[in-house]
């Protein structure tokens, strides 16, 4: 990128020898992509940051020593958070200060701490900074001549395109059509302008995937394993099957990652003490699967499943058929829709299901409403609190403790700009072309009131994406897929022709397995979905050995 647009990495330390060492190591690894700046004091560092803000520049990473006169590292990084909330913050400490650094992770949202000395940097410095910078880049929209989306800010069609590009980590610039193309008919919006000058008018996600080189083709007429759904369970299974030599096809109806991919911040997943965004976590998993040779088709949807001898055949929405020796179903969940009056009219035009990080830039300085009281709602509230003027959470229960992890509750309570309204539900939505107001009902008193609202993000439960399997494999009354002992004795399962009982993750159709949230009685956590994906691979091997 041109020099003015290189994001800044700022290092601060009052010890000249340490400052020279960190500057040397930063320049060696990052000079080509970032502008490395250094400062010998906290006060001077704040002046640099204020100067960057005045020039509309943004720091990607700030490293600060803890023990500095006048302004400690924690105090400096807290001030940095107020100026640039998305910048990654790292504290440089001595061994004696590690307890202070650990406490700062929660107190000032510190991203990481490094103990001096950090030699060799290839082992103790660069891996940490690479991860933080990669995470920062996933949400950074650099000024560049790349993809431009021209549309109406609150139009559902525009929202779908922006969400698709964001979750595929395709940087783009959004321009309001009222300013850039006022004469363009609404029916021709959004317009996606590609770097080579081509313009796509109201493109479907499949067309976008093709034009951007995201779509892949199948390489085999028949696969050892076909996996439906590229959420955590499907991605984990794909990594294991492909790494163990099985030809693997992974199908995804929208964007790899599932609901996990839309999470603004995941902080309780093993191995990421400072948290990681859902987009970053699933992007790494996709790269890992592709490295082992997985064929990934997206966006393409499975619409029917049938048997052909011992093989399974998937019918796709584009008319194609996929044959595989074994099938793993990981379709995941979709968010439940509001039953509030008028809510359906504003989907994608003020009411959004999930975190929809593509809308973050529109919410800067605004009032955001979050409906729901589980972990996903808490993560979204903390994410939007960094950008919005105010965040209000609406929950049915008497408090957050009913469904939310304690670490999220503690963080929410520390945020001055987050309010929690208990025993409150949203019963109506109103507005013109976009959402303008919502009606709330107090469940204790029954009283209703109307509030101005432009941004409502909902997390009100979910249902399995299994309608297309009705009549093919056994589901429970809620649509979740039954497996193993939950199916009952094999003699009572229609079509079961093996001399054994179904395996723990096997459906009523031999050789068809389930992993993740769509399985009946599954634990709705990323870690458990990943574990089930790996467990399903062991059962696939057992099935293949016996047939």
């Amino acid at each position: 990128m041109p020099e003015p647009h290189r994001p800044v990495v700022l290092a601060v330390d009052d010890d000249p020898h340490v400052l020279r060492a960190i500057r040397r190591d930063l320049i060696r690894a990052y000079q080509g992509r970032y502008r490395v700046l250094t400062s010998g004091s906290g006060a001077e560092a704040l002046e640099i940051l204020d100067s960057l803000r005045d020039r509309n520049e943004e720091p990607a990473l700030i490293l600060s020593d803890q023990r500095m006169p006048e302004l400690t590292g924690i105090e400096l990084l807290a001030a940095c958070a107020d100026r640039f909330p998305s910048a990654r913050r790292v504290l440089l400490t001595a061994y004696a200060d590690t307890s202070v650094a650990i406490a700062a992770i929660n107190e000032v949202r510190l991203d990481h701490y490094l103990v001096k000395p950090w030699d060799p940097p290839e082992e103790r410095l660069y891996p940490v900074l690479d991860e933080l910078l990669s995470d920062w880049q996933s949400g950074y929209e650099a000024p560049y001549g790349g993809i431009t989306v021209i549309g109406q800010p609150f139009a559902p069609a525009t929202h779908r395109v922006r969400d698709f590009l964001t979750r595929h980590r395709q940087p783009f610039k959004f321009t309001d059509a009222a300013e850039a193309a006022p004469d363009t008919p609404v029916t021709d919006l959004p317009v996606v302008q590609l770097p080579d000058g081509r313009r796509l008018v109201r493109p479907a996600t499949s067309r976008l995937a093709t034009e951007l080189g995201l779509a892949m083709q199948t390489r085999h007429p028949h696969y050892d394993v076909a996996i439906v759904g590229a959420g955590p369970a499907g991605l984990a299974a794909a990594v294991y099957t492909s790494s163990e030599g099985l030809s693997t096809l992974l199908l995804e109806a929208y964007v790899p990652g599932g609901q996990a991919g839309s999470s603004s911040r995941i902080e309780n997943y093993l191995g990421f003490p400072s948290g990681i965004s859902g987009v970053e976590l699933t992007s790494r998993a996709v790269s890992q699967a592709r490295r082992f040779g997985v064929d990934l088709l997206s966006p393409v949807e499975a619409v029917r499943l049938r048997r052909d001898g011992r093989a399974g055949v998937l019918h796709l929405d584009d008319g194609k058929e996929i044959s595989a020796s074994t099938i793993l179903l990981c379709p995941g969940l979709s968010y439940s829709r509001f039953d509030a009056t008028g809510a359906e009219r504003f989907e994608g035009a003020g009411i959004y299901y999930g975190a929809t990080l593509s809308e973050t830039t529109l919410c800067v300085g605004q009032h955001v409403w979050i409906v729901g009281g589980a972990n996903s709602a808490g993560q979204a509230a903390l994410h939007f609190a960094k950008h919005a003027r105010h965040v209000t959470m609406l929950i049915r229960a008497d408090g957050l403790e009913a469904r939310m992890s304690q670490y999220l509750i503690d963080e929410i309570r520390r945020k001055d700009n987050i309010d929690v309204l208990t025993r409150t539900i949203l019963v109506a939505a109103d507005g013109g072309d976009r959402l303008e107001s919502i009606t709330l009902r107090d469940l204790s008193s029954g009283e209703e009131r109307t509030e101005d609202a432009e941004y409502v993000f909902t997390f009100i439960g979910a249902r399995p994406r299994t309608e297309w399997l009705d009549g093919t494999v056994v589901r429970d009354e809620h649509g979740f897929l039954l497996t193993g002992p939950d199916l009952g004795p094999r003699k009572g399962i229609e079509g079961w022709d093996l001399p054994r009982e179904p395996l723990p993750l096997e459906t009523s159709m031999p050789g068809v397995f389930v992993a993740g949230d769509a399985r009946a009685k599954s634990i709705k956590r990323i870690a458990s979905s990943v574990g089930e994906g790996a467990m399903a691979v062991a059962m696939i091997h057992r099935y293949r050995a016996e047939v």
Side-chain angles (χ1 to χ4, degrees):
M1 290 182 290
E3 178 67 19
H5 300 320
R6 276 193 302 166
V8 166
V9 171
L10 175 63
V12 188
D13 199 305
D14 64 320
D15 186 326
H17 298 288
V18 174
L19 191 60
R20 280 197 296 271
I22 189 68
R23 183 178 185 273
R24 176 200 64 215
D25 290 339
L26 291 175
I27 287 177
R28 181 190 304 166
Y30 304 112
Q31 181 67 25
R33 293 170 290 152
Y34 299 90
R35 189 151 56 96
V36 177
L37 303 179
T38 58
S39 172
S41 71
E44 183 185 50
L46 290 179
E47 291 180 1
I48 292 173
L49 292 172
D50 288 339
S51 176
L52 292 175
R53 185 170 57 181
D54 292 341
R55 298 198 302 268
N56 292 320
E57 296 185 50
E58 184 172 359
L61 178 72
I62 303 166
L63 302 95
S64 176
D65 179 44
Q66 167 60 7
R67 295 191 178 187
M68 295 189 298
E70 298 181 1
L71 200 65
T72 68
I74 291 177
E75 291 170 339
L76 170 61
L77 294 176
C80 294
D82 293 335
R83 290 166 167 79
F84 298 101
S86 64
R88 299 304 184 255
R89 298 177 292 280
V90 178
L91 191 68
L92 297 173
T93 73
Y95 281 106
D97 296 324
T98 54
S99 60
V100 175
I102 293 172
I105 289 177
N106 289 326
E107 292 173 5
V108 302
R109 301 291 297 162
L110 183 69
D111 292 295
H112 212 286
Y113 71 89
L114 292 169
V115 178
K116 298 184 288 187
W118 54 84
D119 291 328
E122 291 77 11
E123 296 180 9
R124 302 180 61 185
L125 177 67
Y126 298 148
V128 172
L129 300 190
D130 286 346
E131 180 177 325
L132 292 174
L133 289 170
S134 176
D135 188 27
W136 178 84
Q137 281 284 0
S138 68
Y140 173 59
E141 292 188 13
Y144 77 115
I147 301 170
T148 299
V149 178
I150 303 170
Q152 298 168 298
F154 291 91
T158 301
H159 165 68
R160 284 193 294 272
V161 168
R162 295 175 62 187
D163 185 59
F164 182 83
L165 292 173
T166 298
R167 293 187 58 182
H168 267 296
R169 302 185 69 180
Q170 295 290 313
F172 67 92
K173 176 184 178 182
F174 174 73
T175 302
D176 192 335
E179 301 174 2
D183 298 328
T184 303
V186 173
T187 54
D188 289 346
L189 295 175
V191 173
V192 177
Q193 183 168 310
L194 302 179
D196 61 8
R198 287 178 297 148
R199 294 165 66 90
L200 308 180
V201 176
R202 207 178 180 88
T205 53
S206 57
R207 173 81 185 283
L208 273 177
T210 300
E211 296 294 342
L212 297 175
L214 301 173
M216 293 183 63
Q217 299 296 320
T218 56
R219 294 183 295 172
H220 307 286
H222 178 84
Y223 286 84
D224 294 325
V225 184
I227 302 172
V228 180
L235 286 166
V239 167
Y240 281 104
T241 54
S242 56
S243 66
E244 292 169 12
L246 300 180
S247 60
T248 303
L249 177 66
L250 183 59
L251 306 172
E252 172 54 48
Y254 182 46
V255 177
Q259 283 192 352
S262 68
S263 179
S264 53
R265 200 76 183 164
I266 301 168
E267 297 193 82
N268 59 351
Y269 189 63
L270 185 66
F272 296 92
S274 299
I276 186 171
S277 71
V279 170
E280 176 66 17
L281 181 64
T282 55
S283 176
R284 294 183 184 192
V286 168
S287 298
Q288 191 174 16
R290 282 179 165 161
R291 184 168 66 87
F292 285 120
V294 172
D295 287 351
L296 172 60
L297 291 186
S298 170
V300 63
E301 190 169 2
V303 295
R304 189 162 71 90
L305 169 65
R306 64 177 175 85
R307 287 185 68 177
D308 183 7
R310 281 297 174 199
V313 178
L314 290 164
H315 295 252
L316 308 183
D317 61 353
D318 60 4
K320 297 179 181 178
E321 295 182 1
I322 297 295
S323 171
S325 300
T326 53
I327 305 288
L328 177 60
L329 302 173
C330 308
L333 309 176
S334 59
Y335 285 110
S336 300
R337 262 39 189 176
F338 267 136
D339 58 3
T341 303
E344 184 177 356
R345 186 159 65 94
F346 299 106
E347 290 187 14
I351 293 179
Y352 307 97
Y353 292 90
T356 57
L357 304 184
S358 58
E359 306 305 320
T360 298
T361 54
L362 294 179
C363 296
V364 173
Q366 304 298 317
H367 187 173
V368 170
W369 300 80
I370 304 288
V371 182
N375 280 1
S376 54
Q379 290 163 351
L382 290 169
H383 168 74
F384 285 113
K386 299 177 183 177
H387 311 278
R389 170 176 50 84
H390 197 83
V391 175
T392 301
M393 300 186 68
L394 308 176
I395 62 172
R396 289 175 174 267
D398 294 327
L400 295 174
E401 289 79 4
R403 299 175 60 202
M404 190 177 294
S405 297
Q406 190 62 46
Y407 80 95
L408 288 171
I409 296 174
D410 293 341
E411 291 187 44
I412 287 171
R413 287 173 176 167
R414 282 195 290 265
K415 288 289 186 181
D416 295 334
N417 63 336
I418 298 181
D419 285 336
V420 180
L421 299 183
T422 60
R423 302 282 299 163
T424 303
I425 61 173
L426 191 157
V427 296
D430 200 5
D433 294 335
R434 54 180 284 190
L435 180 68
E436 297 174 5
S437 66
I438 54 176
T439 300
L440 309 180
R441 178 183 297 158
D442 187 312
L443 293 177
S444 298
S445 66
E447 295 181 357
E448 295 185 357
R449 70 179 191 275
T450 300
E451 298 278 357
D452 293 338
E454 292 182 315
Y455 303 94
V456 175
F457 296 87
T458 70
F459 306 83
I460 54 174
R463 53 184 173 78
R465 296 189 178 101
T466 60
E467 297 89 349
W468 61 284
L469 294 166
D470 187 31
T472 304
V473 294
V474 178
R475 305 185 299 159
D476 68 11
E477 64 273 20
H478 302 294
F480 290 93
L481 299 170
L482 295 175
T483 58
D486 291 333
L487 288 165
R490 64 181 174 87
K491 293 182 179 180
I493 303 174
E494 183 179 353
W496 187 265
D497 58 0
L498 293 180
R500 59 162 175 80
E501 300 294 323
L503 297 172
L505 298 182
E506 195 170 18
T507 69
S508 59
M509 183 181 289
V512 177
F513 299 85
V514 182
D517 293 348
R519 184 181 65 83
K521 300 181 181 179
S522 62
I523 299 173
K524 308 300 187 283
R525 289 287 187 271
I526 293 178
S528 62
S529 292
V530 170
E532 285 191 10
M535 180 180 171
V537 175
M539 297 180 189
I540 287 171
H541 281 302
R542 177 174 169 181
Y543 173 81
R544 286 171 52 82
E546 68 186 12
V547 299

